[in-house]
């Protein structure tokens, strides 16, 4: 299959629905919606929505029904990037090739834009349950899953641990524990949510969740490697920042060669999780392999 074509088709679909899900307003809330749209619609690979769609497709599910979940995942991811870029956290000026939200607007607006996107995500999930009462239990289960993955038991908890680990010597176990929460939890939840809403059997949901867990780790290892070896022009953000901030990273604790080898082993494991699935899981197979060669 042509992964590039698949990714660009899905990205167009996701971008259209995101655009419709957050329309321009003329009221007193104009500025915060403008900032939310600036960050939400200003680029990004749409990896979490695409993983969710691809997992639903792997169990022969309906992509349209999954779209509210895909949108919610991207809203939560974008909120996390806006807040991560703030001066109180990573203090970054560039994101997705453009000024970060607080640079384009101001800090207070960026905090509110992040808050607005986080709450909008849960509005979109609840609205889907209201509009599709026959699927209300599935949407409720997914809402719980996404809340857990993005909150203190997941991404927020991982971000806290990551900040605390700055400048401290770390072991591989510590790095893995941080990244399972900070980045891995939402990626894993993206796959699991697609599998649940797509109507997968319990065995299929568990197999895809194992795939999603490995995907999260591979993503973070390759993200850390890109920070060392990537080109900032291609990535739309500065590189070399992990070393400057003394972050806990895979290449930092393992070295570059061993980090690459660990990523390759995890891809092999992810492919074996997909073994029981037919060709409908090809996008997930190619996505895992793509992580090893991605440049952004
Ligand atoms: C502020 C609660 C809170 C959490 C922030 C996700 C995160 C936690 C911080 C982002 C910092 C960072 C660069 C983490 C490395 C992994 C990561 C999430 C990279 C960005 O995700 P991509 O590559 O971004 O999917 P795009 O722009 O393509 O959507």
């Amino acid at each position: 299959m042509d992964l590039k074509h698949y990714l660009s088709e899905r990205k167009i679909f996701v971008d259209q629905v995101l655009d419709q899900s957050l329309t321009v307003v003329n009221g007193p809330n104009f500025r915060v919606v403008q900032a939310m749209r600036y960050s939400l619609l200003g680029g990004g690979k749409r990896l979490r929505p695409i993983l969710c769609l691809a997992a639903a497709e792997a169990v022969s599910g309906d992509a349209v029904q999954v779209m509210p979940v895909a949108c919610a995942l991207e809203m939560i991811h974008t909120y996390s990037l806006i807040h991560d870029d703030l001066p109180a956290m990573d203090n970054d000026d560039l994101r997705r090739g453009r000024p970060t939200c607080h640079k384009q607007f101001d800090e207070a607006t960026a905090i509110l834009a992040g808050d607005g996107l986080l709450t909008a995500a849960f509005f979109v999930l609840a609205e889907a349950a209201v509009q599709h009462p026959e699927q209300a239990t599935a949407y409720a289960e997914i809402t719980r899953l996404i809340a857990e993955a993005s909150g203190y038991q997941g991404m927020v908890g991982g971000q806290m641990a990551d900040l605390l680990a700055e400048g401290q010597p770390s072991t591989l176990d510590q790095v893995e524990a941080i990244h399972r929460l900070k980045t891995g939890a939402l990626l894993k939840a993206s796959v699991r949510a697609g599998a649940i809403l797509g109507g997968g059997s319990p065995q299929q949901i568990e197999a895809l969740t194992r795939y999603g867990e490995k995907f999260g780790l591979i993503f973070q290892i390759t993200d850390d490697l890109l920070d060392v070896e990537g080109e900032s022009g291609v990535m739309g953000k500065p590189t070399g920042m992990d070393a400057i901030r003394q972050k806990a990273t895979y290449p930092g604790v393992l070295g570059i060669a061993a980090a690459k080898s660990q990523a390759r082993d995890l891809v092999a494991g992810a492919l074996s999780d997909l073994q029981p699935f037919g060709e409908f899981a090809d996008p997930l197979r190619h996505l895992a392999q793509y992580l090893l060669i991605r440049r952004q």
Side-chain angles (χ1 to χ4, degrees), residues 225-296:
L225 285 164
L226 281 172
D227 189 69
V228 180
E229 298 186 322
E231 300 159 58
S232 68
V234 179
M235 294 171 66
K237 62 177 187 180
T239 52
M241 297 309 287
D242 291 343
I244 292 170
R245 295 185 183 124
Q246 297 182 284
K247 289 259 189 197
T249 68
Y250 283 94
V253 292
L254 285 175
I256 289 182
K260 285 183 178 171
S261 151
Q262 176 141 352
R264 282 194 299 271
D265 290 350
L266 282 162
V267 170
L271 294 180
S272 92
D273 291 328
L274 296 179
Q275 212 144 30
F277 295 86
E279 62 182 300
F280 288 150
D282 278 351
L284 291 178
R285 292 188 180 95
H286 285 271
L287 273 164
Q289 287 163 322
Y290 150 80
L291 290 182
L292 295 176
I293 53 160
R294 73 189 178 108
R295 295 176 64 224
Q296 58 166 340

Side-chain angles (χ1 to χ4, degrees), residues 43-48 74 77-85 89-90 92 95-96 150 155-159 162 179 182-183 187 219-220 223-224 235 237 294 296:
K45 297 182 287 297
R46 310 307 191 201
L47 206 47
R48 292 146 194 83
E74 189 64 23
H77 170 59
T78 305
Y79 122 76
S80 81
L81 298 180
I82 295 174
H83 281 194
D84 185 68
D85 290 334
M89 297 216 198
D90 274 0
D92 279 316
R95 170 70 67 185
R96 294 173 166 172
S150 55
M155 185 174 70
V156 168
Q159 176 77 348
D162 191 40
H179 293 311
K182 187 181 118 176
T183 333
L187 288 164
F219 178 86
Q220 187 61 53
D223 199 74
D224 288 352
M235 294 171 66
K237 62 177 187 180
R294 73 189 178 108
Q296 58 166 340

Side-chain angles (χ1 to χ4, degrees), residues 7-267:
L7 290 176
S8 94
E9 245 184 23
R10 293 298 178 282
K11 184 169 148 51
I12 291 168
F13 185 27
V14 170
D15 284 348
Q16 273 170 357
V17 181
L18 283 172
D19 190 14
Q20 290 155 8
S21 70
L22 189 62
T23 45
V24 185
V25 292
N26 282 319
N29 48 354
F30 170 74
R31 185 173 167 83
V32 74
V33 176
Q34 198 188 15
M36 289 161 75
R37 284 179 59 86
Y38 172 81
S39 291
L40 186 66
L41 306 174
K45 297 182 287 297
R46 310 307 191 201
L47 206 47
R48 292 146 194 83
I50 291 173
L51 274 176
C52 185
L53 290 170
E57 286 167 17
V59 295
S60 311
D62 172 11
V64 173
Q65 227 168 23
V66 179
M67 279 319 283
V69 179
C71 280
L73 288 163
E74 189 64 23
M75 287 174 168
I76 292 172
H77 170 59
T78 305
Y79 122 76
S80 81
L81 298 180
I82 295 174
H83 281 194
D84 185 68
D85 290 334
L86 286 168
M89 297 216 198
D90 274 0
N91 195 17
D92 279 316
D93 293 350
L94 206 59
R95 170 70 67 185
R96 294 173 166 172
R98 302 196 305 165
T100 46
C101 193
H102 67 274
K103 282 281 160 189
Q104 183 71 16
F105 295 86
D106 55 70
E107 269 184 62
T109 307
I111 292 169
L112 291 172
D115 295 341
L117 284 168
L118 175 59
T119 39
F122 287 98
F123 177 87
V124 168
L125 290 171
E127 181 68 9
V130 171
Q131 296 300 329
H132 303 279
E134 72 291 351
Q135 288 273 41
T137 307
Y139 282 121
E141 187 183 347
I142 286 163
T143 304
R144 181 178 63 179
L145 171 73
I146 293 178
E148 198 175 14
S150 55
Y152 72 96
Q153 296 129 304
M155 185 174 70
V156 168
Q159 176 77 348
M160 184 80 258
D162 191 40
L163 291 172
L164 291 173
E166 274 183 28
Q168 307 291 326
S170 304
T171 64
L172 178 59
D173 283 351
Q174 286 164 335
V175 171
E176 197 171 297
I178 291 171
H179 293 311
R180 271 184 195 282
L181 297 179
K182 187 181 118 176
T183 333
L186 196 59
L187 288 164
K188 178 175 151 186
S190 304
V191 178
R192 187 173 174 86
I196 294 171
L197 205 53
S201 68
Q203 292 89 331
Q204 287 179 318
I205 293 169
E206 290 318 312
L208 289 174
T209 303
R210 287 195 295 278
Y211 162 92
E213 191 164 14
K214 294 188 186 77
F215 191 98
L217 290 175
I218 306 161
F219 178 86
Q220 187 61 53
I221 297 173
T222 55
D223 199 74
D224 288 352
L225 285 164
L226 281 172
D227 189 69
V228 180
E229 298 186 322
E231 300 159 58
S232 68
V234 179
M235 294 171 66
K237 62 177 187 180
T239 52
M241 297 309 287
D242 291 343
I244 292 170
R245 295 185 183 124
Q246 297 182 284
K247 289 259 189 197
T249 68
Y250 283 94
V253 292
L254 285 175
I256 289 182
K260 285 183 178 171
S261 151
Q262 176 141 352
R264 282 194 299 271
D265 290 350
L266 282 162
V267 170

